[in-house]
Amino acid sequence: MVEMTTQHHTASQGSMLSRSWSMAQSLGLFWVLVILCAIAIYLSPSFIQVGNLMNVGRQVALFGIVSVGMTFVILTRGIDLSVGSIVGVVAVTAAMLLASGMSIPLVMAIALVLGVVFGAVNGIGIVAFGMPPFIMTLGTLVMGRGIAMTIANGEPQNLGDATDAFYFLGGGFLFGVPVPIWIFVAVAVIAFILLRSTAYGRQVYAVGSNAEAARLAGINVNAMLMSVYVISGFLAALTALITVSRLTVGEPTAGTNLELEAIAIVVIGGTSLFGGEGSIVGTVIGAAIIAVIANILNLLGISPFTQQIVKGAIIIAAVMFEVYRHRQRH
């Protein structure tokens, strides 16, 4: 009993210190974002135009929603490589169901459930069969892309008569702001409250900091791990619906490499790949940093191939910094 109390105190204290450190990091990242925006305006005055800022906001929203789910996973010292493929499967499924005449609310419900099922499959593989998260989600990444290509026969799927009504989700405006931005704000606020102000959030940090200590403290570690992969799958499906709505077509290749973008955003946002440390605020700023950098490269006319090189270098630099920081602290 004494041991469990001590472990519980240690896990709680560790998670509180980690969250305080994460908030300090977020403040530093905010100034990095401000400097990047200043550089963008200097290099290309068109950056500050309303139309361009709306596009940046949409990019932040699409990257950000799936990255919020990835934050939950990485906080528990896991990783989810399947989110891009989930987007592909859900995109073509939703498009085909809409084209068949099914109602929009029902299609959206089925799509979100499909994302939850994918997340649950990842969680079961990791929890019940002891699969390493990297291997398990790599498997579902490959399977998911194969499923998307098979059911769509490798072809883009049109929405049929549902195009106009469904377009509002990804292409509409609410009070002059694109709807995807409102959705991202809602997702980020809910995730922030969940991690900062609930027992569930404290348990996520505790599991990532030390799974054994969390288990001794009475936390159901397996249930926690299952839940974060379900959240990740759900938010990937939500991203897919917004993408289909925006493009008015379901592409089986939708979401390709999205997992890399999400991991980069989460790491740049200060969430540790070693678990137990990070914040939703950092992820939101990380998404904005990636979107601003991508926008600067587009405005400067840098080719997509060169942009991939730049993004790869940013990911490597962010991970190297994270590894260095982890070694310094341990």
Side-chain angles (χ1 to χ4, degrees), residues 261-302:
E261 302 273 8
I263 293 168
I265 286 169
V266 173
V267 174
I268 288 171
T271 298
S272 173
L273 288 170
F274 301 97
E277 189 178 295
S279 72
I280 294 299
V281 174
T283 297
V284 171
I285 299 174
I289 288 175
I290 287 289
V292 168
I293 290 174
N295 192 251
I296 292 173
L297 296 175
N298 281 330
L299 292 175
L300 294 178
I302 306 295

Short mmCIF file of all heavy atoms in Angstrom, two decimals, residues 261-302:
data_model
loop_
_atom_site.label_atom_id
_atom_site.label_comp_id
_atom_site.label_asym_id
_atom_site.label_seq_id
_atom_site.Cartn_x
_atom_site.Cartn_y
_atom_site.Cartn_z
N GLU A 261 4.08 14.08 -41.47
CA GLU A 261 3.78 15.48 -41.14
C GLU A 261 3.33 15.58 -39.68
O GLU A 261 3.77 16.49 -38.95
CB GLU A 261 2.66 16.00 -42.05
CG GLU A 261 2.95 15.93 -43.55
CD GLU A 261 3.69 17.17 -44.04
OE1 GLU A 261 4.10 17.98 -43.19
OE2 GLU A 261 3.88 17.29 -45.27
N ALA A 262 2.45 14.67 -39.28
CA ALA A 262 1.91 14.73 -37.91
C ALA A 262 3.01 14.49 -36.87
O ALA A 262 3.07 15.19 -35.86
CB ALA A 262 0.80 13.69 -37.75
N ILE A 263 3.86 13.52 -37.12
CA ILE A 263 4.95 13.24 -36.17
C ILE A 263 5.88 14.45 -36.08
O ILE A 263 6.29 14.86 -34.98
CB ILE A 263 5.74 11.98 -36.59
CG1 ILE A 263 4.85 10.74 -36.46
CG2 ILE A 263 7.01 11.82 -35.75
CD1 ILE A 263 5.42 9.49 -37.12
N ALA A 264 6.19 15.04 -37.24
CA ALA A 264 7.07 16.23 -37.25
C ALA A 264 6.44 17.36 -36.44
O ALA A 264 7.12 18.02 -35.64
CB ALA A 264 7.32 16.67 -38.68
N ILE A 265 5.15 17.57 -36.64
CA ILE A 265 4.46 18.66 -35.92
C ILE A 265 4.49 18.42 -34.41
O ILE A 265 4.78 19.33 -33.63
CB ILE A 265 3.00 18.76 -36.41
CG1 ILE A 265 2.97 19.40 -37.81
CG2 ILE A 265 2.13 19.55 -35.44
CD1 ILE A 265 1.64 19.30 -38.50
N VAL A 266 4.21 17.19 -34.02
CA VAL A 266 4.17 16.88 -32.58
C VAL A 266 5.55 17.05 -31.95
O VAL A 266 5.68 17.62 -30.86
CB VAL A 266 3.64 15.45 -32.37
CG1 VAL A 266 3.75 15.05 -30.90
CG2 VAL A 266 2.19 15.36 -32.82
N VAL A 267 6.59 16.58 -32.64
CA VAL A 267 7.95 16.69 -32.08
C VAL A 267 8.40 18.15 -32.06
O VAL A 267 8.96 18.63 -31.07
CB VAL A 267 8.93 15.82 -32.90
CG1 VAL A 267 10.37 16.05 -32.43
CG2 VAL A 267 8.57 14.36 -32.76
N ILE A 268 8.14 18.87 -33.16
CA ILE A 268 8.49 20.29 -33.20
C ILE A 268 7.73 21.04 -32.10
O ILE A 268 8.26 21.99 -31.49
CB ILE A 268 8.17 20.89 -34.58
CG1 ILE A 268 9.17 20.36 -35.61
CG2 ILE A 268 8.21 22.42 -34.55
CD1 ILE A 268 8.82 20.70 -37.05
N GLY A 269 6.51 20.59 -31.81
CA GLY A 269 5.71 21.22 -30.77
C GLY A 269 6.17 20.91 -29.36
O GLY A 269 5.55 21.37 -28.40
N GLY A 270 7.22 20.12 -29.22
CA GLY A 270 7.80 19.89 -27.91
C GLY A 270 7.38 18.62 -27.22
O GLY A 270 7.80 18.37 -26.08
N THR A 271 6.56 17.79 -27.85
CA THR A 271 6.19 16.52 -27.23
C THR A 271 7.32 15.53 -27.40
O THR A 271 7.83 15.34 -28.50
CB THR A 271 4.90 15.95 -27.87
OG1 THR A 271 3.82 16.86 -27.65
CG2 THR A 271 4.54 14.60 -27.26
N SER A 272 7.72 14.91 -26.28
CA SER A 272 8.88 14.03 -26.30
C SER A 272 8.54 12.67 -26.91
O SER A 272 7.53 12.06 -26.55
CB SER A 272 9.39 13.82 -24.87
OG SER A 272 10.40 12.85 -24.85
N LEU A 273 9.41 12.19 -27.79
CA LEU A 273 9.25 10.85 -28.35
C LEU A 273 9.44 9.78 -27.28
O LEU A 273 9.11 8.62 -27.49
CB LEU A 273 10.25 10.62 -29.48
CG LEU A 273 9.97 11.37 -30.79
CD1 LEU A 273 11.15 11.25 -31.74
CD2 LEU A 273 8.71 10.86 -31.46
N PHE A 274 9.98 10.17 -26.13
CA PHE A 274 10.20 9.24 -25.03
C PHE A 274 9.02 9.25 -24.04
O PHE A 274 9.09 8.62 -22.99
CB PHE A 274 11.51 9.58 -24.31
CG PHE A 274 12.70 9.53 -25.23
CD1 PHE A 274 13.18 10.68 -25.82
CD2 PHE A 274 13.32 8.33 -25.53
CE1 PHE A 274 14.27 10.65 -26.69
CE2 PHE A 274 14.41 8.28 -26.39
CZ PHE A 274 14.88 9.44 -26.97
N GLY A 275 7.95 9.97 -24.40
CA GLY A 275 6.71 9.93 -23.64
C GLY A 275 6.67 10.82 -22.42
O GLY A 275 7.70 11.26 -21.89
N GLY A 276 5.41 11.10 -21.96
CA GLY A 276 5.20 11.80 -20.69
C GLY A 276 5.45 13.28 -20.69
O GLY A 276 5.41 13.91 -19.63
N GLU A 277 5.73 13.86 -21.84
CA GLU A 277 6.08 15.29 -21.86
C GLU A 277 5.58 15.90 -23.17
O GLU A 277 5.89 15.40 -24.25
CB GLU A 277 7.60 15.41 -21.77
CG GLU A 277 8.11 16.83 -21.57
CD GLU A 277 9.62 16.82 -21.44
OE1 GLU A 277 10.12 16.25 -20.45
OE2 GLU A 277 10.29 17.34 -22.34
N GLY A 278 4.82 16.98 -23.06
CA GLY A 278 4.30 17.64 -24.24
C GLY A 278 2.97 18.31 -23.94
O GLY A 278 2.43 18.18 -22.84
N SER A 279 2.45 19.03 -24.92
CA SER A 279 1.18 19.73 -24.71
C SER A 279 0.47 19.96 -26.02
O SER A 279 1.09 19.97 -27.10
CB SER A 279 1.43 21.08 -24.02
OG SER A 279 2.04 21.98 -24.94
N ILE A 280 -0.85 20.16 -25.94
CA ILE A 280 -1.64 20.46 -27.12
C ILE A 280 -1.29 21.86 -27.65
O ILE A 280 -1.27 22.09 -28.86
CB ILE A 280 -3.15 20.39 -26.79
CG1 ILE A 280 -3.53 18.93 -26.46
CG2 ILE A 280 -3.98 20.89 -27.97
CD1 ILE A 280 -3.29 17.94 -27.59
N VAL A 281 -0.98 22.78 -26.75
CA VAL A 281 -0.59 24.12 -27.19
C VAL A 281 0.64 24.03 -28.09
O VAL A 281 0.72 24.66 -29.14
CB VAL A 281 -0.30 25.03 -25.97
CG1 VAL A 281 0.23 26.38 -26.43
CG2 VAL A 281 -1.57 25.23 -25.16
N GLY A 282 1.62 23.22 -27.67
CA GLY A 282 2.82 23.03 -28.49
C GLY A 282 2.48 22.44 -29.85
O GLY A 282 3.03 22.85 -30.88
N THR A 283 1.55 21.48 -29.88
CA THR A 283 1.16 20.86 -31.15
C THR A 283 0.49 21.87 -32.07
O THR A 283 0.75 21.89 -33.28
CB THR A 283 0.21 19.67 -30.88
OG1 THR A 283 0.90 18.68 -30.12
CG2 THR A 283 -0.28 19.05 -32.18
N VAL A 284 -0.37 22.71 -31.51
CA VAL A 284 -1.04 23.74 -32.32
C VAL A 284 0.00 24.68 -32.94
O VAL A 284 -0.05 24.98 -34.14
CB VAL A 284 -2.04 24.54 -31.46
CG1 VAL A 284 -2.57 25.75 -32.24
CG2 VAL A 284 -3.19 23.66 -31.02
N ILE A 285 0.96 25.11 -32.13
CA ILE A 285 2.00 26.01 -32.65
C ILE A 285 2.88 25.26 -33.65
O ILE A 285 3.28 25.83 -34.68
CB ILE A 285 2.84 26.58 -31.49
CG1 ILE A 285 1.96 27.39 -30.54
CG2 ILE A 285 3.96 27.48 -32.03
CD1 ILE A 285 2.66 27.88 -29.30
N GLY A 286 3.17 24.00 -33.36
CA GLY A 286 3.96 23.19 -34.30
C GLY A 286 3.29 23.08 -35.66
O GLY A 286 3.94 23.18 -36.71
N ALA A 287 1.96 22.89 -35.65
CA ALA A 287 1.21 22.81 -36.91
C ALA A 287 1.30 24.13 -37.67
O ALA A 287 1.45 24.16 -38.90
CB ALA A 287 -0.25 22.46 -36.63
N ALA A 288 1.22 25.24 -36.92
CA ALA A 288 1.31 26.55 -37.56
C ALA A 288 2.71 26.77 -38.15
O ALA A 288 2.85 27.31 -39.25
CB ALA A 288 0.98 27.64 -36.55
N ILE A 289 3.74 26.34 -37.42
CA ILE A 289 5.11 26.50 -37.92
C ILE A 289 5.31 25.73 -39.23
O ILE A 289 5.84 26.27 -40.21
CB ILE A 289 6.12 26.02 -36.84
CG1 ILE A 289 6.16 27.03 -35.68
CG2 ILE A 289 7.51 25.84 -37.44
CD1 ILE A 289 7.02 26.59 -34.51
N ILE A 290 4.86 24.48 -39.26
CA ILE A 290 5.00 23.67 -40.47
C ILE A 290 4.22 24.28 -41.63
O ILE A 290 4.71 24.36 -42.77
CB ILE A 290 4.50 22.22 -40.22
CG1 ILE A 290 5.50 21.46 -39.34
CG2 ILE A 290 4.30 21.47 -41.53
CD1 ILE A 290 6.81 21.10 -40.03
N ALA A 291 3.01 24.76 -41.35
CA ALA A 291 2.17 25.34 -42.41
C ALA A 291 2.79 26.64 -42.94
O ALA A 291 2.78 26.90 -44.16
CB ALA A 291 0.77 25.61 -41.88
N VAL A 292 3.36 27.46 -42.05
CA VAL A 292 3.97 28.71 -42.48
C VAL A 292 5.22 28.44 -43.33
O VAL A 292 5.43 29.06 -44.37
CB VAL A 292 4.34 29.60 -41.25
CG1 VAL A 292 5.23 30.77 -41.67
CG2 VAL A 292 3.07 30.12 -40.60
N ILE A 293 6.03 27.47 -42.89
CA ILE A 293 7.23 27.12 -43.66
C ILE A 293 6.83 26.63 -45.05
O ILE A 293 7.42 27.04 -46.06
CB ILE A 293 8.06 26.05 -42.92
CG1 ILE A 293 8.69 26.64 -41.66
CG2 ILE A 293 9.14 25.48 -43.83
CD1 ILE A 293 9.41 25.64 -40.79
N ALA A 294 5.81 25.75 -45.11
CA ALA A 294 5.34 25.23 -46.41
C ALA A 294 4.83 26.37 -47.28
O ALA A 294 5.08 26.40 -48.50
CB ALA A 294 4.25 24.19 -46.19
N ASN A 295 4.12 27.32 -46.67
CA ASN A 295 3.58 28.45 -47.42
C ASN A 295 4.69 29.35 -47.95
O ASN A 295 4.64 29.83 -49.08
CB ASN A 295 2.63 29.24 -46.54
CG ASN A 295 1.80 30.24 -47.33
OD1 ASN A 295 2.01 31.44 -47.23
ND2 ASN A 295 0.88 29.76 -48.15
N ILE A 296 5.72 29.58 -47.12
CA ILE A 296 6.86 30.40 -47.58
C ILE A 296 7.50 29.74 -48.80
O ILE A 296 7.79 30.41 -49.80
CB ILE A 296 7.90 30.54 -46.44
CG1 ILE A 296 7.35 31.39 -45.29
CG2 ILE A 296 9.18 31.20 -46.98
CD1 ILE A 296 8.26 31.43 -44.08
N LEU A 297 7.71 28.44 -48.73
CA LEU A 297 8.35 27.73 -49.85
C LEU A 297 7.49 27.81 -51.10
O LEU A 297 8.01 27.97 -52.22
CB LEU A 297 8.60 26.27 -49.45
CG LEU A 297 9.58 26.05 -48.29
CD1 LEU A 297 9.65 24.58 -47.92
CD2 LEU A 297 10.97 26.56 -48.66
N ASN A 298 6.16 27.70 -50.94
CA ASN A 298 5.27 27.83 -52.10
C ASN A 298 5.33 29.22 -52.70
O ASN A 298 5.40 29.38 -53.93
CB ASN A 298 3.83 27.51 -51.68
CG ASN A 298 3.59 26.02 -51.57
OD1 ASN A 298 4.21 25.23 -52.27
ND2 ASN A 298 2.70 25.63 -50.67
N LEU A 299 5.29 30.24 -51.83
CA LEU A 299 5.31 31.62 -52.32
C LEU A 299 6.62 31.95 -53.03
O LEU A 299 6.65 32.77 -53.94
CB LEU A 299 5.09 32.59 -51.15
CG LEU A 299 3.69 32.57 -50.51
CD1 LEU A 299 3.65 33.49 -49.29
CD2 LEU A 299 2.63 33.00 -51.52
N LEU A 300 7.69 31.30 -52.60
CA LEU A 300 9.00 31.54 -53.24
C LEU A 300 9.19 30.69 -54.48
O LEU A 300 10.25 30.76 -55.13
CB LEU A 300 10.12 31.26 -52.23
CG LEU A 300 10.19 32.21 -51.02
CD1 LEU A 300 11.31 31.79 -50.08
CD2 LEU A 300 10.39 33.65 -51.48
N GLY A 301 8.19 29.85 -54.79
CA GLY A 301 8.26 29.04 -56.00
C GLY A 301 9.21 27.86 -55.90
O GLY A 301 9.70 27.35 -56.91
N ILE A 302 9.48 27.41 -54.65
CA ILE A 302 10.36 26.25 -54.46
C ILE A 302 9.61 24.99 -54.91
O ILE A 302 8.43 24.81 -54.57
CB ILE A 302 10.77 26.11 -52.97
CG1 ILE A 302 11.40 27.43 -52.47
CG2 ILE A 302 11.72 24.95 -52.78
CD1 ILE A 302 12.68 27.81 -53.14
#
